[in-house]
Amino acid sequence: MAFFTSGDIAPGTRLPAERQLAASLGVGRSAVREALAALEILGIVVVRPGSGTYLRDGVSELLPRTLSWGLMLGAPRTRELVELRSGLEVQAAQLAAERVTDEALERMRANLDTMAATLDDLAAFVEADAAFHREIAAASGNQVLQELLQSIRSLLRIWVDRALTDEGHAAAALKEHTEIHRALEARDPAAVTASMQSHMDTASRRLLLGLDASHWRECIPKAVLGLSLPGSG
């Protein structure tokens, strides 16, 4: 948050490119991308297509709103977000079962290959995992659903990054994703629903284990901004 409120960046100025922000903040570019999406939702920045991302005027007045978001969410609201995400992921997969293209399936296969190659690199594994889910959301053909999922993922990002703690968890997640992909290839809505629901049940349990209410006030404002993710990609 200090990055945006220290005065080093004047209101209304264009923010550095994603690559520069990632380097200066010590995070991956995808984390910066998701953080900027959350900042846009919160009214801290404005994205001008073809021009860039700009800090809104009066950001100091927006700071209390940003902090209130984090405090408003709290542990109970976060659990509700996890439930909502689970339902939306299942719905996206159901739609994708009817609409997915061979090209999208190939991209998902590439994500799976990356996951298999990075079982010992959890940050890279999480990136490939997230990319796999983004492909499913895009394959659903429902833009509103896709944007809702992206917003929820941005708010939950820090907990998603903490959910996978060892290679055993990663291997289990890879198996779950492979089953989803197999069901999508078969264009089998029932199998897709069952495999995604099973995955989300497991993933949600893993995610909620990382939710430590005693550290909430410290973590969530940074999590919303994507600034507390050193080492994540």
Side-chain angles (χ1 to χ4, degrees):
M1 176 65 76
F3 182 81
F4 296 94
T5 59
S6 63
D8 293 337
I9 302 179
T13 58
R14 186 176 183 275
L15 298 185
E18 285 181 6
R19 181 174 297 177
Q20 292 175 271
L21 282 172
S24 63
L25 297 172
V27 300
R29 289 183 66 181
S30 62
V32 169
R33 194 174 302 117
E34 292 187 7
L36 291 175
L39 286 170
E40 185 180 17
I41 293 169
L42 295 172
I44 302 298
V45 301
V46 57
V47 177
R48 299 173 186 168
S51 178
T53 302
Y54 294 79
L55 190 67
R56 282 188 182 275
D57 293 333
V59 68
S60 60
E61 297 176 4
L62 293 168
L63 177 59
R65 184 196 310 174
T66 305
L67 295 177
S68 70
W69 261 72
L71 296 176
M72 176 189 72
L73 285 172
R77 288 292 184 268
T78 300
R79 288 182 170 83
E80 291 175 3
L81 270 181
V82 171
E83 290 180 355
L84 178 60
R85 179 202 173 201
S86 178
L88 292 178
E89 292 279 10
V90 171
Q91 185 174 7
Q94 290 170 333
L95 292 173
E98 302 172 358
R99 303 170 180 176
V100 69
T101 64
D102 290 339
E103 292 76 14
L105 286 168
E106 281 300 313
R107 290 192 294 271
M108 291 178 207
R109 167 55 64 187
N111 297 145
L112 291 175
D113 290 343
T114 300
M115 292 167 72
T118 57
L119 290 173
D120 59 349
D121 181 352
L122 296 183
F125 184 94
V126 167
E127 286 304 317
D129 182 325
F132 182 89
H133 282 275
R134 286 195 296 269
E135 285 291 348
I136 291 177
S140 76
N142 187 311
Q143 187 67 28
V144 174
L145 179 57
Q146 187 175 353
E147 291 176 0
L148 280 172
L149 277 168
Q150 181 59 37
S151 298
I152 292 172
R153 291 191 196 105
S154 295
L155 292 174
L156 293 176
R157 176 61 189 254
I158 190 173
W159 307 115
V160 171
D161 280 7
R162 292 177 176 181
L164 288 174
T165 57
D166 57 47
E167 288 186 38
H169 286 162
L174 174 58
K175 182 176 183 295
E176 293 162 8
H177 285 78
T178 300
E179 291 172 354
I180 294 168
H181 185 263
R182 186 179 299 116
L184 284 169
E185 280 187 316
R187 271 76 171 184
D188 184 340
V192 168
T193 299
S195 57
M196 179 60 85
Q197 186 62 67
S198 177
H199 169 55
M200 292 312 302
D201 288 346
T202 303
S204 296
R205 285 196 297 270
R206 283 194 297 256
L207 191 152
L208 291 173
L209 285 174
L211 180 60
D212 184 349
S214 66
H215 296 298
W216 185 258
R217 288 174 180 269
E218 174 186 353
C219 292
I220 191 60
K222 295 179 182 178
V224 171
L225 297 179
L227 302 183
S228 60
L229 305 174
S232 66

